[in-house]
Amino acid sequence: MSHDGTPTRDIVLITVDSLQYDYVAADDAPAPGLAGLSALADGGTFFTNAFSNATITKGSFLSIFSGTYPWMFGSIDGGFDTGRPHLAERLSAAGYATAGFNTNPYLSSTYGYDRGFDYYMGRDTGENLDRTTLSSKYWPVLKESLLPKRAARAVRSAYGTAGRKLGLQLGGDPYVPAEEVNEAVFEYLEDSTGPRFLWIHYMDVHTPYYPREGTESEDERKRHAVKLFHRANERRADASDADLDRLERLYEGEVEHFDRRLAELLDGLDARLDLSESLVVFGSDHGEAFGDHDAVFHPDGVLYDDLVHVPLVVNGPGFDAGAVSTPVSNADIVPTLLEFAGAETPSVCVGDSLAGIVADPPDGRAVFAGGHDSDTGVAMVATERYKLIRDLRSGTEELYDRAADPEETTDVLDARPDAARRLRAALDERLEVARSNEAEPSAVEVDDGVKTRLRMLGYDE
């Protein structure tokens, strides 16, 4: 911060889709061989009990960018509600140049995520974020020959059939690969001046998984990988163990591949920014599952650690090298970045600054996540030791001892009444906060190109 109160230090928020904690951490540190994440964590704080606030992107990122729970401000299907505080808007008002680099259709301008960004990848300079010939090449032809709804169904049906039966990934990747995202970041930095807030989001770990040279998955064939994805995406809990094992291997290869791109990003940033004075935050929107608890990929409302335990690293002033086991969540990111920028955190935010947690770790801190909706969905609170999950429709609960049973296979609700009582009270408190700020759901108009890309990523739109 300058003498006149103007911010001078850059802020970088790096996120990756679908990265589960266990695939990057070993003994409370980044796994050996992950050079990019290790480089980031070696000089910063690794939060070993970090949680997403939802298990799907369109819910989790509401917390990452607003510091509020997904259920606040209406339905998550309405995108980023105009009444919800937005990190980029707050940092822009504080004097930051703001730039967002993202190719997930759920986080596009369609859903209101570009608010507050001076530059938003794909919005301002005409980059083609849709690399799928299904929507960019064939869609105009189909649209002329069929009714729009029939054309959309035809495109998505052709995609699924070709993938499932032939192993053909029609149209290519439904997102821009990490290498090109990095290039866009570096190009932006050549012509920008600080202080800057950069948000950089990667999709490479998300389905569909592809074999990657020099990784765990290099011996797989791409056609087989595409078939596996489509088969498992249709069968989900009924997918075979053999298919899930191979998918997990492909996933591990994607993690290795992404980490190399992360290392390249950090090297490029170091050459263009003063990283020693910058704040760099790295996290994930949710995890990924391969059959445990009958979950495959990242379905909404499955709140076991496979889906909600995520990596979180903060590197910068005030964050010394080491591990912190205090539970934190993605809702803590906004207060952390705003405090660093010298900006006020909106009162509606539910998180705390991670700098304060590092300086004075609170005892018994509990974090919250939810799935589906706040009336009939599923919710959880987790402490360092325990996790309570409640089905809001039936009122049934599960309690797990995360220390003794990290796989969450044994429900100890009856055996640990004191722990159940404490977590039940914590969950009730957080549910009250989430429900007290609800708003009327808003509607989002989604074009067929976006719907097609979402289908190619494994979503039912």
Side-chain angles (χ1 to χ4, degrees), residues 404-418:
D405 178 27
E407 302 300 320
E408 298 172 307
T409 59
T410 304
D411 183 354
V412 296
L413 187 71
D414 295 331
R416 309 286 172 81
D418 290 342

Side-chain angles (χ1 to χ4, degrees), residues 3-166:
H3 293 300
D4 63 0
T6 304
T8 58
R9 301 179 295 181
D10 295 307
I11 296 173
V12 183
L13 173 60
I14 306 168
T15 54
V16 59
D17 224 288
S18 309
L19 186 59
Q20 192 207 123
Y21 177 87
D22 285 347
Y23 288 89
V24 300
D27 298 324
D28 296 338
L34 296 181
L37 193 54
S38 293
L40 190 58
D42 283 348
T45 303
F46 192 86
F47 291 89
T48 60
N49 277 302
F51 290 83
S52 59
N53 300 103
T55 61
I56 54 176
T57 297
K58 62 181 178 180
S60 180
F61 261 96
L62 294 176
S63 291
I64 292 173
F65 267 106
S66 73
T68 64
Y69 294 139
W71 287 338
M72 299 162 70
F73 296 91
S75 167
I76 66 172
D77 293 327
F80 209 101
D81 187 272
T82 55
R84 194 186 292 263
H86 194 298
L87 175 62
E89 285 184 335
R90 298 283 169 160
L91 290 175
S92 179
Y96 280 78
T98 55
F101 304 85
N102 152 67
T103 67
N104 186 322
Y106 270 137
L107 306 178
S108 65
S109 302
T110 297
Y111 290 92
Y113 275 89
D114 62 330
R115 281 171 44 198
F117 281 102
D118 303 320
Y119 166 83
Y120 206 72
M121 191 173 183
R123 182 193 68 187
D124 301 312
T125 55
E127 298 105 330
N128 179 21
L129 304 188
D130 185 354
R131 304 305 173 82
T132 64
T133 54
L134 276 174
S135 53
S136 60
K137 184 182 293 185
Y138 300 140
W139 171 250
V141 177
L142 285 167
K143 195 173 182 180
E144 291 297 320
S145 59
L146 298 170
L147 292 174
K149 288 186 178 180
R150 290 183 180 178
R153 285 197 297 269
V155 170
R156 294 192 285 276
S157 176
Y159 167 74
T161 300
R164 183 178 62 257
K165 294 185 176 181
L166 303 175

Side-chain angles (χ1 to χ4, degrees), residues 11 172 174 190 206 225 325 379 405 422 449 452 458:
I11 296 173
E190 293 300 324
H206 195 286
S325 61
D405 178 27
R422 289 195 303 273
T452 298

